[in-house]
Amino acid sequence: MSEVSIKNKIHKSLEKMDASQLQSAWQVLQALFNQQKYTNIKVDEPALEKKISKGITQLEKGEGTDFGTFLNEIHADYGSR
């Protein structure tokens, strides 16, 4: 199927959608764009494994943070998105 054909089908579908469906479609498109934005990020797996291991060790020692406290800190830093 050609690019023009796909765009036409999308356009026709958008014309039939109500506000709620359009909002959902917009969220899907945003998720697709965000996914593409992060596909080229390189992960330093050894460093990540080391951090995970350190976190597990801290949890085993009872040094973890309460999940509610964590969420409150995230909300304070980043707000609700």
Side-chain angles (χ1 to χ4, degrees), residues 2-79:
S2 72
E3 183 177 329
V4 172
S5 174
I6 294 170
K7 286 181 179 182
N8 286 335
K9 284 186 174 209
I10 291 170
H11 181 73
K12 287 177 185 176
S13 296
L14 290 173
E15 291 297 322
K16 296 176 185 176
M17 291 183 183
D18 64 19
S20 175
Q21 292 171 320
L22 286 169
Q23 180 65 32
S24 295
W26 176 244
Q27 289 172 342
V28 169
L29 286 173
Q30 285 180 316
L32 287 172
F33 289 131
N34 285 336
Q35 182 181 21
Q36 291 171 354
K37 184 169 55 172
Y38 296 112
T39 56
N40 295 329
I41 293 178
K42 303 288 184 211
V43 176
D44 184 358
E45 291 187 28
L48 182 61
E49 288 292 329
K50 185 176 178 180
K51 289 179 181 183
I52 290 171
S53 183
K54 179 181 176 183
I56 291 171
T57 301
Q58 290 173 332
L59 287 174
E60 289 172 346
K61 293 179 182 178
E63 299 172 348
T65 302
D66 177 71
F67 188 64
T69 304
F70 167 76
L71 288 179
N72 289 336
E73 290 173 1
I74 294 298
H75 182 72
D77 289 345
Y78 300 102

